[in-house]
Amino acid sequence: MKIISVVGARPNFMKIAPFVHAVEAYNRQSGREKIEHILVHTGQHYDDRMSKVFFESLGIPEADIHLNVGSGSHAQQVGNTMMAFEKVIQEEQPDWVVVVGDVNATLACSVTAKKEHIKVCHIEAGLRSGDMDMPEEINRLVTDRLSDLLLTPDLLSTENLRHEGVAEEKIRFVGNVMIDTLEAHREKAEAMQIETILQENLLDPSQKLPGHIGEYSVLTMHRPSNVDKKEVLEPIVNFLLDEVCEKELLIWPIHPRTRKQLERFGLWEKVSKHSGIILLHPVNYHEMLKLNMSATSMLTDSGGLQEECCVLGTPCLTLRWNTERPITLKEHGGASTLVGNNVAAIREAYQKVSKTVRKPQRPELWDGKAAKRCLEALLEYTPQ
Ligand code: UD1
Protein backbone atom coordinates (compact mmCIF):
# COMPACT_ATOMS: atom_id res chain seq x y z
CA MET A 1 0.00 0.00 0.00
CA LYS A 2 1.20 3.48 -0.81
CA ILE A 3 0.00 6.43 1.27
CA ILE A 4 0.64 10.13 0.77
CA SER A 5 0.04 12.19 3.92
CA VAL A 6 -0.30 15.93 3.64
CA VAL A 7 0.62 18.75 6.01
CA GLY A 8 0.61 22.48 5.37
CA ALA A 9 0.14 24.61 8.45
CA ARG A 10 1.09 24.51 12.11
CA PRO A 11 -1.96 22.68 13.53
CA ASN A 12 -1.41 19.85 11.03
CA PHE A 13 1.93 18.86 12.48
CA MET A 14 0.61 17.64 15.87
CA LYS A 15 -2.02 15.63 14.01
CA ILE A 16 0.24 13.93 11.50
CA ALA A 17 3.04 13.10 13.97
CA PRO A 18 1.23 10.18 15.67
CA PHE A 19 -0.06 8.87 12.32
CA VAL A 20 3.46 8.82 10.86
CA HIS A 21 4.66 7.04 13.99
CA ALA A 22 1.83 4.50 13.68
CA VAL A 23 2.92 3.74 10.10
CA GLU A 24 6.54 3.39 11.25
CA ALA A 25 5.50 1.02 14.05
CA TYR A 26 3.45 -1.05 11.59
CA ASN A 27 6.41 -1.29 9.22
CA ARG A 28 8.74 -2.42 12.01
CA GLN A 29 6.67 -5.53 12.61
CA SER A 30 8.28 -8.27 10.59
CA GLY A 31 6.37 -10.52 8.24
CA ARG A 32 4.11 -7.72 7.02
CA GLU A 33 4.14 -6.11 3.67
CA LYS A 34 5.45 -2.62 4.34
CA ILE A 35 3.43 0.52 3.77
CA GLU A 36 5.13 2.98 1.48
CA HIS A 37 4.60 6.37 3.08
CA ILE A 38 5.30 9.73 1.48
CA LEU A 39 4.97 12.94 3.49
CA VAL A 40 4.11 16.08 1.52
CA HIS A 41 4.48 19.58 3.04
CA THR A 42 2.59 22.17 1.03
CA GLY A 43 4.56 25.04 2.57
CA GLN A 44 1.55 27.09 3.72
CA HIS A 45 3.51 27.73 6.91
CA TYR A 46 7.19 28.21 6.20
CA ASP A 47 8.77 30.16 9.11
CA ASP A 48 11.00 27.87 11.15
CA ARG A 49 9.01 28.69 14.28
CA MET A 50 5.71 27.82 12.57
CA SER A 51 6.95 24.65 10.91
CA LYS A 52 10.49 23.28 11.27
CA VAL A 53 10.56 23.31 15.07
CA PHE A 54 7.48 21.07 15.14
CA PHE A 55 9.07 18.51 12.85
CA GLU A 56 12.12 18.46 15.11
CA SER A 57 10.38 18.41 18.48
CA LEU A 58 7.64 15.93 17.50
CA GLY A 59 10.03 13.57 15.73
CA ILE A 60 8.36 13.92 12.33
CA PRO A 61 10.75 12.88 9.57
CA GLU A 62 11.68 15.55 7.05
CA ALA A 63 8.93 15.84 4.41
CA ASP A 64 9.70 13.81 1.30
CA ILE A 65 8.19 16.45 -0.97
CA HIS A 66 7.92 20.22 -0.41
CA LEU A 67 5.46 22.18 -2.54
CA ASN A 68 6.65 25.59 -1.25
CA VAL A 69 3.35 27.38 -1.90
CA GLY A 70 3.85 30.01 0.85
CA SER A 71 1.43 32.79 1.77
CA GLY A 72 -1.17 34.45 -0.41
CA SER A 73 -4.91 34.86 -0.73
CA HIS A 74 -7.00 31.73 -0.18
CA ALA A 75 -7.49 31.25 -3.91
CA GLN A 76 -3.77 31.62 -4.54
CA GLN A 77 -2.85 29.24 -1.76
CA VAL A 78 -5.41 26.60 -2.73
CA GLY A 79 -4.79 27.00 -6.47
CA ASN A 80 -1.01 26.81 -6.19
CA THR A 81 -1.26 23.80 -3.90
CA MET A 82 -3.61 21.99 -6.28
CA MET A 83 -1.36 22.57 -9.27
CA ALA A 84 1.73 21.38 -7.44
CA PHE A 85 0.01 18.44 -5.73
CA GLU A 86 -1.54 17.21 -8.98
CA LYS A 87 1.95 16.55 -10.33
CA VAL A 88 2.85 14.61 -7.18
CA ILE A 89 -0.28 12.47 -7.45
CA GLN A 90 0.28 11.73 -11.12
CA GLU A 91 3.87 10.75 -10.49
CA GLU A 92 3.36 8.72 -7.33
CA GLN A 93 -0.08 7.17 -7.96
CA PRO A 94 -0.77 6.45 -4.26
CA ASP A 95 -3.58 4.21 -3.02
CA TRP A 96 -4.58 6.80 -0.44
CA VAL A 97 -4.15 10.47 0.33
CA VAL A 98 -4.46 11.19 4.05
CA VAL A 99 -5.38 14.75 5.03
CA VAL A 100 -5.76 16.14 8.55
CA GLY A 101 -7.65 19.05 10.09
CA ASP A 102 -9.17 21.94 8.20
CA VAL A 103 -6.52 24.20 6.74
CA ASN A 104 -6.18 25.24 3.10
CA ALA A 105 -3.78 22.35 2.43
CA THR A 106 -6.49 19.91 3.60
CA LEU A 107 -9.01 21.26 1.10
CA ALA A 108 -6.60 21.65 -1.81
CA CYS A 109 -5.13 18.16 -1.56
CA SER A 110 -8.41 16.33 -1.00
CA VAL A 111 -9.96 17.94 -4.07
CA THR A 112 -6.89 17.23 -6.19
CA ALA A 113 -6.69 13.61 -5.07
CA LYS A 114 -10.37 12.90 -5.78
CA LYS A 115 -10.12 14.42 -9.25
CA GLU A 116 -7.28 11.99 -9.90
CA HIS A 117 -9.45 9.10 -8.61
CA ILE A 118 -7.35 8.55 -5.51
CA LYS A 119 -9.04 7.58 -2.25
CA VAL A 120 -9.04 10.23 0.47
CA CYS A 121 -8.96 9.63 4.20
CA HIS A 122 -9.77 12.60 6.45
CA ILE A 123 -8.44 12.51 9.99
CA GLU A 124 -10.52 14.81 12.22
CA ALA A 125 -13.65 14.54 10.10
CA GLY A 126 -17.11 15.77 11.09
CA LEU A 127 -16.24 18.91 13.06
CA ARG A 128 -18.76 21.66 12.29
CA SER A 129 -18.99 25.20 13.62
CA GLY A 130 -21.94 26.05 11.38
CA ASP A 131 -20.13 29.31 10.62
CA MET A 132 -19.62 29.70 6.89
CA ASP A 133 -17.61 32.88 7.44
CA MET A 134 -14.79 30.71 8.75
CA PRO A 135 -12.48 29.55 5.98
CA GLU A 136 -11.91 26.34 7.94
CA GLU A 137 -15.64 25.47 7.87
CA ILE A 138 -15.60 25.52 4.07
CA ASN A 139 -12.47 23.39 4.10
CA ARG A 140 -14.10 20.85 6.44
CA LEU A 141 -17.34 20.61 4.46
CA VAL A 142 -15.66 20.10 1.11
CA THR A 143 -13.09 17.64 2.43
CA ASP A 144 -15.69 15.54 4.22
CA ARG A 145 -18.02 15.55 1.21
CA LEU A 146 -15.24 14.09 -0.92
CA SER A 147 -13.56 11.72 1.52
CA ASP A 148 -13.88 7.94 1.25
CA LEU A 149 -12.97 7.34 4.87
CA LEU A 150 -13.99 9.82 7.56
CA LEU A 151 -12.26 9.37 10.90
CA THR A 152 -13.96 11.29 13.67
CA PRO A 153 -12.48 12.52 16.98
CA ASP A 154 -15.73 12.34 18.97
CA LEU A 155 -19.29 11.11 18.69
CA LEU A 156 -20.75 14.59 18.14
CA SER A 157 -18.72 14.73 14.91
CA THR A 158 -19.96 11.28 13.93
CA GLU A 159 -23.51 12.54 14.45
CA ASN A 160 -22.83 15.59 12.25
CA LEU A 161 -21.77 13.32 9.41
CA ARG A 162 -24.79 11.04 9.80
CA HIS A 163 -27.00 14.10 9.80
CA GLU A 164 -25.43 15.19 6.50
CA GLY A 165 -26.22 11.79 5.01
CA VAL A 166 -22.71 10.33 4.90
CA ALA A 167 -22.89 6.55 4.45
CA GLU A 168 -22.35 4.73 7.74
CA GLU A 169 -19.58 2.51 6.35
CA LYS A 170 -17.45 5.55 5.50
CA ILE A 171 -17.42 6.82 9.10
CA ARG A 172 -15.17 5.50 11.88
CA PHE A 173 -14.97 6.98 15.37
CA VAL A 174 -11.28 6.73 16.23
CA GLY A 175 -10.70 9.44 18.88
CA ASN A 176 -8.48 12.48 18.87
CA VAL A 177 -4.97 12.28 17.40
CA MET A 178 -4.09 15.64 19.03
CA ILE A 179 -4.30 13.89 22.38
CA ASP A 180 -1.93 11.14 21.18
CA THR A 181 0.64 13.90 20.77
CA LEU A 182 -0.21 15.50 24.10
CA GLU A 183 0.19 12.22 25.97
CA ALA A 184 3.43 11.35 24.18
CA HIS A 185 4.99 14.68 25.14
CA ARG A 186 3.36 15.51 28.48
CA GLU A 187 6.26 14.33 30.64
CA LYS A 188 8.90 16.25 28.72
CA ALA A 189 6.78 19.42 28.87
CA GLU A 190 6.15 19.00 32.60
CA ALA A 191 9.88 19.01 33.32
CA MET A 192 10.45 22.40 31.63
CA GLN A 193 10.89 25.70 33.47
CA ILE A 194 8.49 28.55 32.68
CA GLU A 195 11.22 31.15 33.19
CA THR A 196 13.49 29.42 30.65
CA ILE A 197 10.69 29.17 28.09
CA LEU A 198 10.01 32.89 28.39
CA GLN A 199 13.67 33.89 28.28
CA GLU A 200 14.32 31.81 25.17
CA ASN A 201 11.35 33.13 23.22
CA LEU A 202 11.15 36.81 24.16
CA LEU A 203 10.24 38.96 21.20
CA ASP A 204 12.28 41.73 22.79
CA PRO A 205 15.29 39.99 24.33
CA SER A 206 16.03 43.11 26.41
CA GLN A 207 12.70 42.84 28.30
CA LYS A 208 13.37 42.36 32.03
CA LEU A 209 11.44 39.43 33.47
CA PRO A 210 10.58 38.91 37.13
CA GLY A 211 12.89 36.31 38.75
CA HIS A 212 9.89 34.15 39.56
CA ILE A 213 6.83 34.06 37.34
CA GLY A 214 3.76 33.94 39.57
CA GLU A 215 0.22 33.82 38.25
CA TYR A 216 -0.26 34.32 34.55
CA SER A 217 -2.74 33.77 31.77
CA VAL A 218 -1.83 32.83 28.21
CA LEU A 219 -3.26 34.51 25.13
CA THR A 220 -3.23 33.30 21.54
CA MET A 221 -5.23 34.97 18.82
CA HIS A 222 -4.99 34.74 15.05
CA ARG A 223 -8.46 34.22 13.53
CA PRO A 224 -9.33 36.74 10.82
CA SER A 225 -12.61 37.45 12.69
CA ASN A 226 -10.60 38.68 15.71
CA VAL A 227 -7.52 40.29 14.22
CA ASP A 228 -8.44 41.62 10.79
CA LYS A 229 -10.70 44.49 11.91
CA LYS A 230 -9.44 47.36 14.05
CA GLU A 231 -12.86 47.90 15.63
CA VAL A 232 -12.76 44.31 16.96
CA LEU A 233 -9.08 44.03 17.83
CA GLU A 234 -8.61 47.37 19.58
CA PRO A 235 -11.20 46.91 22.38
CA ILE A 236 -9.88 43.40 23.08
CA VAL A 237 -6.34 44.73 23.31
CA ASN A 238 -7.47 47.54 25.62
CA PHE A 239 -9.25 45.05 27.88
CA LEU A 240 -6.14 42.88 28.05
CA LEU A 241 -3.83 45.77 28.87
CA ASP A 242 -6.13 47.59 31.27
CA GLU A 243 -7.80 44.72 33.09
CA VAL A 244 -5.99 41.39 32.66
CA CYS A 245 -2.51 42.86 33.13
CA GLU A 246 -3.79 44.60 36.27
CA LYS A 247 -4.31 41.22 37.92
CA GLU A 248 -1.58 38.99 36.52
CA LEU A 249 1.02 38.62 33.82
CA LEU A 250 -0.19 37.97 30.31
CA ILE A 251 1.98 35.70 28.20
CA TRP A 252 1.32 36.16 24.51
CA PRO A 253 3.07 34.03 21.89
CA ILE A 254 2.15 36.10 18.90
CA HIS A 255 1.12 34.79 15.50
CA PRO A 256 2.76 36.56 12.51
CA ARG A 257 -0.66 37.55 11.16
CA THR A 258 -1.67 39.20 14.45
CA ARG A 259 1.56 41.11 14.79
CA LYS A 260 1.15 42.42 11.24
CA GLN A 261 -2.38 43.60 12.00
CA LEU A 262 -1.41 45.29 15.29
CA GLU A 263 1.25 47.20 13.38
CA ARG A 264 -1.19 48.11 10.62
CA PHE A 265 -3.74 49.46 13.13
CA GLY A 266 -1.15 51.48 15.08
CA LEU A 267 -1.55 49.31 18.19
CA TRP A 268 1.86 47.68 18.23
CA GLU A 269 3.68 50.39 20.19
CA LYS A 270 1.16 50.24 23.01
CA VAL A 271 1.23 46.44 23.23
CA SER A 272 4.95 45.97 22.93
CA LYS A 273 5.76 48.65 25.50
CA HIS A 274 3.38 47.37 28.20
CA SER A 275 5.30 45.89 31.14
CA GLY A 276 2.48 43.47 32.08
CA ILE A 277 2.65 41.61 28.77
CA ILE A 278 5.33 39.12 27.89
CA LEU A 279 5.36 38.96 24.11
CA LEU A 280 6.90 35.81 22.69
CA HIS A 281 7.69 34.45 19.26
CA PRO A 282 5.45 31.51 18.34
CA VAL A 283 6.58 28.83 20.80
CA ASN A 284 7.18 25.14 20.13
CA TYR A 285 4.86 22.31 21.11
CA HIS A 286 6.42 21.42 24.47
CA GLU A 287 6.72 25.06 25.49
CA MET A 288 3.06 25.70 24.78
CA LEU A 289 2.03 22.59 26.65
CA LYS A 290 4.00 23.66 29.71
CA LEU A 291 2.65 27.23 29.57
CA ASN A 292 -0.86 25.77 29.33
CA MET A 293 -0.37 23.36 32.27
CA SER A 294 0.50 26.13 34.71
CA ALA A 295 -1.72 28.99 33.46
CA THR A 296 -4.57 30.53 35.46
CA SER A 297 -6.50 30.67 32.24
CA MET A 298 -6.12 30.38 28.48
CA LEU A 299 -7.61 33.08 26.27
CA THR A 300 -7.60 31.72 22.75
CA ASP A 301 -9.27 31.39 19.39
CA SER A 302 -7.35 28.20 18.56
CA GLY A 303 -9.23 24.93 18.14
CA GLY A 304 -6.33 22.74 19.24
CA LEU A 305 -5.83 24.66 22.46
CA GLN A 306 -9.49 24.20 23.36
CA GLU A 307 -8.88 20.46 23.19
CA GLU A 308 -5.65 20.58 25.13
CA CYS A 309 -7.25 22.75 27.84
CA CYS A 310 -10.03 20.17 28.12
CA VAL A 311 -7.57 17.37 28.90
CA LEU A 312 -5.36 19.53 31.13
CA GLY A 313 -8.32 21.19 32.85
CA THR A 314 -7.13 24.74 32.16
CA PRO A 315 -10.07 27.20 32.22
CA CYS A 316 -10.32 28.26 28.59
CA LEU A 317 -11.99 31.43 27.36
CA THR A 318 -12.62 30.74 23.71
CA LEU A 319 -12.57 34.03 21.82
CA ARG A 320 -15.20 32.91 19.33
CA TRP A 321 -18.99 32.88 19.05
CA ASN A 322 -19.12 29.25 17.99
CA THR A 323 -16.92 26.21 18.01
CA GLU A 324 -16.57 23.12 15.85
CA ARG A 325 -15.39 21.38 19.03
CA PRO A 326 -18.45 21.52 21.33
CA ILE A 327 -17.13 18.52 23.25
CA THR A 328 -14.56 20.88 24.84
CA LEU A 329 -17.27 23.17 26.22
CA LYS A 330 -18.29 23.24 29.87
CA GLU A 331 -21.78 22.04 28.99
CA HIS A 332 -20.21 18.82 27.68
CA GLY A 333 -17.90 18.50 30.69
CA GLY A 334 -14.96 20.36 29.16
CA ALA A 335 -13.04 23.45 30.32
CA SER A 336 -14.00 25.98 27.67
CA THR A 337 -16.50 28.86 27.60
CA LEU A 338 -17.41 30.66 24.39
CA VAL A 339 -16.89 34.37 24.97
CA GLY A 340 -16.82 35.71 21.41
CA ASN A 341 -14.97 38.93 20.79
CA ASN A 342 -17.17 41.26 22.80
CA VAL A 343 -15.34 42.74 25.78
CA ALA A 344 -18.31 42.56 28.17
CA ALA A 345 -18.63 38.80 27.63
CA ILE A 346 -14.87 38.24 27.88
CA ARG A 347 -14.73 40.27 31.11
CA GLU A 348 -17.59 38.38 32.71
CA ALA A 349 -16.02 34.99 31.99
CA TYR A 350 -12.54 36.17 32.97
CA GLN A 351 -13.79 37.35 36.36
CA LYS A 352 -15.17 33.88 37.07
CA VAL A 353 -11.90 32.15 36.20
CA SER A 354 -10.15 32.86 39.49
CA LYS A 355 -12.85 30.86 41.27
CA THR A 356 -12.55 27.92 38.85
CA VAL A 357 -10.83 24.74 39.92
CA ARG A 358 -8.86 22.79 37.31
CA LYS A 359 -10.93 19.85 36.20
CA PRO A 360 -9.19 17.67 33.62
CA GLN A 361 -11.57 15.73 31.38
CA ARG A 362 -11.05 12.90 28.98
CA PRO A 363 -13.71 12.55 26.29
CA GLU A 364 -14.23 9.02 24.97
CA LEU A 365 -11.24 7.65 23.01
CA TRP A 366 -9.04 10.66 23.77
CA ASP A 367 -6.69 8.05 25.12
CA GLY A 368 -3.44 8.57 23.21
CA LYS A 369 -4.10 5.68 20.83
CA ALA A 370 -6.19 7.30 18.11
CA ALA A 371 -3.55 7.23 15.36
CA LYS A 372 -3.21 3.46 15.59
CA ARG A 373 -6.98 3.22 15.10
CA CYS A 374 -6.73 5.59 12.11
CA LEU A 375 -4.24 3.29 10.42
CA GLU A 376 -6.28 0.19 11.26
CA ALA A 377 -9.37 1.79 9.75
CA LEU A 378 -7.45 2.55 6.60
CA LEU A 379 -6.04 -0.97 6.32
CA GLU A 380 -9.44 -2.53 6.94
CA TYR A 381 -11.23 -0.33 4.42
CA THR A 382 -13.24 -2.19 1.84
CA PRO A 383 -14.82 -0.17 -0.95
CA GLN A 384 -18.63 -0.37 -1.13
C1 UD1 B 1 -3.83 28.96 9.16
C2 UD1 B 1 -5.13 28.15 9.06
C3 UD1 B 1 -5.84 28.15 10.39
C4 UD1 B 1 -4.94 27.72 11.52
C5 UD1 B 1 -3.70 28.60 11.50
C6 UD1 B 1 -2.71 28.26 12.56
C7 UD1 B 1 -6.30 28.18 6.91
C8 UD1 B 1 -7.47 28.71 6.19
N1 UD1 B 1 -6.04 28.74 8.09
O1 UD1 B 1 -4.19 30.32 9.42
O2 UD1 B 1 -6.93 27.26 10.31
O3 UD1 B 1 -5.61 27.83 12.74
O4 UD1 B 1 -3.07 28.44 10.23
O5 UD1 B 1 -1.64 29.14 12.50
O6 UD1 B 1 -5.64 27.30 6.40
N2 UD1 B 1 2.77 33.88 7.97
C9 UD1 B 1 4.09 34.05 8.25
N3 UD1 B 1 4.86 32.91 8.35
C10 UD1 B 1 4.35 31.66 8.18
C11 UD1 B 1 2.99 31.53 7.88
C12 UD1 B 1 2.21 32.65 7.79
O7 UD1 B 1 4.59 35.14 8.39
O8 UD1 B 1 5.09 30.67 8.31
C13 UD1 B 1 1.91 35.10 7.88
C14 UD1 B 1 1.75 35.55 6.45
O9 UD1 B 1 1.71 36.93 6.45
C15 UD1 B 1 0.37 35.04 6.08
C16 UD1 B 1 -0.36 35.10 7.42
O10 UD1 B 1 0.64 34.80 8.40
O11 UD1 B 1 -0.23 35.79 5.10
C17 UD1 B 1 -1.48 34.10 7.53
O12 UD1 B 1 -1.03 32.79 7.21
P1 UD1 B 1 -2.03 31.73 6.55
O13 UD1 B 1 -1.34 30.43 6.40
O14 UD1 B 1 -2.69 32.31 5.36
O15 UD1 B 1 -3.17 31.58 7.63
P2 UD1 B 1 -3.13 31.49 9.22
O16 UD1 B 1 -3.75 32.73 9.74
O17 UD1 B 1 -1.80 31.09 9.76
Side-chain angles (χ1 to χ4, degrees):
M1 182 186 281
K2 187 169 181 176
I3 300 174
I4 291 185
S5 298
V6 177
V7 289
R10 184 170 61 179
N12 288 165
F13 307 134
M14 308 70 162
K15 293 171 195 165
I16 214 64
F19 182 74
V20 171
H21 296 145
V23 172
E24 287 168 350
Y26 180 91
N27 281 346
R28 276 197 301 273
Q29 294 178 20
S30 58
R32 282 179 163 170
E33 197 181 325
K34 296 213 182 320
I35 296 169
E36 188 182 345
H37 184 256
I38 297 171
L39 184 60
V40 172
H41 190 330
T42 69
Q44 178 176 347
H45 284 173
Y46 44 84
D47 283 357
D48 284 356
R49 287 178 188 269
M50 299 291 284
S51 175
K52 190 171 172 224
V53 293
F54 291 90
F55 276 72
E56 289 168 356
S57 62
L58 301 178
I60 309 170
E62 168 80 18
D64 300 289
I65 300 172
H66 287 269
L67 306 183
N68 297 317
V69 296
S71 296
S73 70
H74 284 258
Q76 283 166 341
Q77 242 173 20
V78 171
N80 289 337
T81 306
M82 287 181 72
M83 286 191 284
F85 191 60
E86 188 180 53
K87 291 199 189 91
V88 174
I89 292 278
Q90 287 170 350
E91 208 150 285
E92 299 292 342
Q93 291 295 322
D95 299 293
W96 282 94
V97 167
V98 173
V99 293
V100 294
D102 54 17
V103 302
N104 286 341
T106 314
L107 167 81
C109 294
S110 55
V111 174
T112 311
K114 276 318 280 180
K115 289 205 167 214
E116 290 292 315
H117 313 292
I118 305 295
K119 292 194 288 293
V120 173
C121 167
H122 185 203
I123 297 182
E124 205 188 62
L127 297 182
R128 297 288 182 269
S129 67
D131 179 356
M132 291 298 280
D133 286 336
M134 270 185 98
E136 293 82 2
E137 185 72 354
I138 300 166
N139 296 344
R140 291 178 201 116
L141 282 165
V142 175
T143 301
D144 283 347
R145 187 69 187 85
L146 297 180
S147 292
D148 298 273
L149 184 56
L150 297 101
L151 305 178
T152 67
D154 55 63
L155 289 169
L156 298 173
S157 303
T158 300
E159 269 315 304
N160 289 338
L161 295 175
R162 286 183 180 141
H163 186 72
E164 288 171 14
V166 177
E168 199 62 36
E169 57 273 14
K170 287 185 169 184
I171 311 171
R172 283 281 284 272
F173 168 41
V174 293
N176 191 342
V177 285
M178 286 285 280
I179 307 307
D180 291 18
T181 301
L182 187 151
E183 294 305 340
H185 296 273
R186 187 194 275 262
E187 218 172 293
K188 180 170 172 194
E190 234 150 16
M192 295 171 97
Q193 292 298 320
I194 301 283
E195 287 76 9
T196 316
I197 296 173
L198 301 185
Q199 202 61 57
E200 285 179 355
N201 290 286
L202 277 177
L203 211 58
D204 171 9
S206 68
Q207 184 175 5
K208 284 270 159 293
L209 295 177
H212 170 71
I213 302 294
E215 292 208 334
Y216 66 85
S217 279
V218 178
L219 168 72
T220 84
M221 197 167 45
H222 70 282
R223 300 268 166 214
S225 55
N226 284 333
V227 306
D228 283 5
K229 285 200 192 108
K230 187 176 184 188
E231 60 273 25
V232 174
L233 187 56
E234 189 168 23
I236 299 179
V237 164
N238 287 339
F239 166 75
L240 297 168
L241 300 182
D242 300 342
E243 301 185 43
V244 176
C245 293
E246 268 303 294
K247 282 179 71 179
E248 57 181 346
L249 279 172
L250 184 65
I251 297 177
W252 188 356
I254 196 156
H255 189 285
R257 176 188 200 108
T258 310
R259 177 179 181 163
K260 232 179 243 178
Q261 299 298 53
L262 287 168
E263 286 169 348
R264 190 158 76 94
F265 300 146
L267 298 168
W268 181 247
E269 181 81 1
K270 174 156 115 172
V271 170
S272 58
K273 292 276 172 327
H274 198 288
S275 61
I277 290 193
I278 303 178
L279 281 176
L280 304 180
H281 290 286
V283 292
N284 73 28
Y285 184 77
H286 297 95
E287 292 166 337
M288 194 60 187
L289 195 52
K290 175 67 184 185
L291 290 176
N292 190 350
M293 282 172 181
S294 313
T296 321
S297 73
M298 175 70 66
L299 294 102
T300 189
D301 58 13
S302 146
L305 281 169
Q306 288 170 53
E307 297 178 338
E308 287 156 359
C309 286
C310 178
V311 171
L312 299 174
T314 315
C316 176
L317 306 192
T318 300
L319 301 165
R320 293 176 47 191
W321 295 111
N322 49 57
T323 178
E324 61 289 339
R325 294 167 164 88
I327 194 125
T328 64
L329 293 176
K330 278 194 172 154
E331 46 269 44
H332 288 279
S336 152
T337 311
L338 290 177
V339 295
N341 50 24
N342 168 289
V343 167
I346 303 172
R347 179 184 296 117
E348 195 189 325
Y350 179 70
Q351 282 166 352
K352 285 188 194 146
V353 157
S354 55
K355 299 177 202 107
T356 312
V357 188
R358 266 179 186 271
K359 218 170 95 217
Q361 287 295 328
R362 195 168 288 281
E364 195 178 347
L365 296 191
W366 289 28
D367 57 359
K369 297 177 188 139
K372 188 164 179 276
R373 287 189 287 268
C374 290
L375 184 59
E376 281 163 5
L378 211 137
L379 293 166
E380 285 162 13
Y381 174 88
T382 39
Q384 299 302 311

